[in-house]
Every structure is written in structure tokens, then in C-alpha cells.
Amino acid sequence: MQYGWMGTTLEIDLTERTIEKRETDPDLTRLYLGGKGVNARIFWERFSPEVEPFSPESPLIIDTCILTGTMVPAANRGVITFKSPVNGHLMHSAMGGFWPAEIKHAGYDTIIIRGKSPAPVYLWINNDDIQLRDAAHLWGKGTPDTMQAIQEELENDKVHIACIGPAGENKCYAAGIESSVGAGASRAGPGAIMGDKNLKAIAAYGTRDVRVAKPQRLVELCEEIMERSGPL
């Protein structure tokens, strides 16, 4: 396994309600270091460029980046790639906050979601336990209420959640995906794609560490970064 990566990719088919775990391609992570590069390559190799944004075959690809889940300041990022309903182009929308790191700590580098659920669901990632759970009771709720309801349902306030509100459910082209205060992905309408797929939220909780090659040197570099950044 490469340093900085967990070694596993999740593939979710909402139509068939199947969940598969595959080995992350080390060539992709070596060449592109995660994020936009990995997502674009996956789309290029596996999906038609002619696919319509609101087609069940239109994917939602989520990738963490090489430093996500480590102690490096400001490095916890996730990139969501999709065919935009705004312009029909392949677009990327990035998100910070705790949610991308939680996916990494659960053991996953990339999540590939395709298909369309016949009824509202949310994806629950809890280390090795992956579930598609009913979300009918969450449909119509705004994002803060959705996050609170899922944490209460799972009885875990350390779960981090990315979700849509009524705008995404109604496929508003400007709909974003929200995770926490100041953390969301809204460029080019990714929330509308989740809404079309009847995917209300993705909740993640993990307890694994991200392996780094030289932990002590990383600590020293992070301290240097913080010193140069000055007081917050």
C-alpha cells in the first residue's frame, strides 16, 4: 500500500443496491495524487462522455487527496466530480472540513456512485460496515436538520455528514452539498445530481490512521508551516 492512501475504493450502485470494495489503483494515485486527476481519469475510462447529467448512468465520483486525513494544515479536501446539469460538462467541486478526512479514516480513498435509488436513501460508511439506509424521514429537511437527525439516529455525534436540502431534492441547478459550517461543495450543481439519484446524504465515521513515510519529519514540517502562518 502506498503512503498517504488507504488502498480501497468503494463502488455503489443505487439501482441494484450493491456495494463493492475494490483495490485502489496505485498507478492512478501515483500519477495524479488524488482529487480532480483521479476522478477525471476514472470518468474517462469507465463512463461515456455523452452521458446526460440526470441519467442513472451518470456517476458521482468522490476522491480524497493524498494529504487528507493527515495532520498537514488546511489539507483535508475532497473533490466531487460529475456531469453538471448547468452546462452538461464534466465538472469538479471541492469540499473541506472534516467529512473528507472521515472517509479516509474509515478506510477509503475514492467513492464511485452510479444508478438511481427508487426511494430516498443515505449512505452510511462505518469503517468496514457500509449500508444504504432509508431516508424517507429525512426528505424535505434542510441540511442542518438532516445532519442532526442522522447523528441522533446513529447515536454518534462524531459522524460527519455531507447532504442535500430541498434544493438538491428538487434538482435545482444551483444546489450544493453541505457538510458543516463553511464546508460545502456547490460549484456547478452537485447537489442536483444527488437529488436526482435520491441520495440524501453520505455519513462517515472512521478510526483508521493514514500511513505516512516519515512521521517525525512530517510533524516538523507542519510546525514550520504553522510558525510561518502566524497567529490565527
Side-chain angles (χ1 to χ4, degrees):
M1 186 193 305
Q2 297 169 325
Y3 291 111
W5 300 104
M6 308 308 289
T8 304
T9 292
L10 271 183
E11 297 211 20
I12 313 295
D13 189 320
L14 295 173
T15 303
E16 301 296 331
R17 293 185 68 88
T18 59
I19 298 169
E20 295 183 57
K21 299 177 185 178
R22 301 183 183 272
E23 181 181 357
T24 298
D25 185 344
D27 290 335
L28 286 186
T29 51
R30 185 181 300 110
L31 283 169
Y32 304 110
L33 302 181
K36 293 180 182 180
V38 165
N39 288 359
R41 180 65 179 268
I42 290 172
F43 187 95
W44 174 263
E45 290 186 340
R46 297 186 49 185
F47 298 94
S48 168
E50 305 301 326
V51 68
E52 294 295 329
F54 291 144
S55 165
E57 296 307 312
S58 182
L60 193 72
I61 307 172
I62 303 160
D63 191 83
T64 58
C65 302
I66 189 168
L67 297 177
T68 296
T70 70
M71 66 182 297
V72 177
N76 284 327
R77 306 291 291 176
V79 176
I80 301 172
T81 298
F82 55 98
K83 286 292 289 289
S84 171
V86 177
N87 55 26
H89 295 166
L90 185 68
M91 300 296 287
H92 311 278
S93 190
M95 178 188 294
F98 294 98
W99 180 72
E102 207 66 36
I103 291 173
K104 199 84 165 281
H105 288 305
Y108 307 101
D109 304 310
T110 309
I111 305 173
I112 303 169
I113 300 171
R114 61 185 185 275
K116 179 174 181 176
S117 174
V121 294
Y122 73 90
L123 178 62
W124 169 218
I125 302 170
N126 180 17
N127 289 323
D128 291 328
D129 184 19
I130 316 296
Q131 302 175 26
L132 285 169
R133 298 173 65 107
D134 176 64
H137 59 299
L138 302 173
W139 211 250
K141 290 182 180 291
T143 54
D145 290 340
T146 297
M147 295 177 207
Q148 181 179 350
I150 291 175
Q151 287 183 334
E152 291 175 354
E153 181 175 312
L154 299 175
E155 299 181 339
N156 187 342
D157 61 5
K158 298 186 185 302
V159 172
H160 289 282
I161 300 150
C163 63
I164 58 171
E169 295 169 2
N170 289 285
K171 297 190 283 188
C172 171
Y173 284 12
I177 302 170
E178 300 300 319
S179 178
S180 58
V181 176
S186 56
R187 181 172 182 256
I193 303 301
M194 280 186 65
D196 182 63
K197 293 183 176 301
N198 278 326
L199 180 62
K200 179 64 174 177
I202 301 171
Y205 175 73
T207 57
R208 296 180 171 93
D209 291 328
V210 179
R211 297 168 65 247
V212 298
K214 299 178 181 179
Q216 184 55 44
R217 181 56 181 148
L218 183 64
V219 170
E220 294 169 359
L221 288 171
C222 290
E223 289 175 348
E224 291 178 20
I225 292 171
M226 296 303 292
E227 288 175 4
R228 292 169 60 184
S229 300
L232 298 178

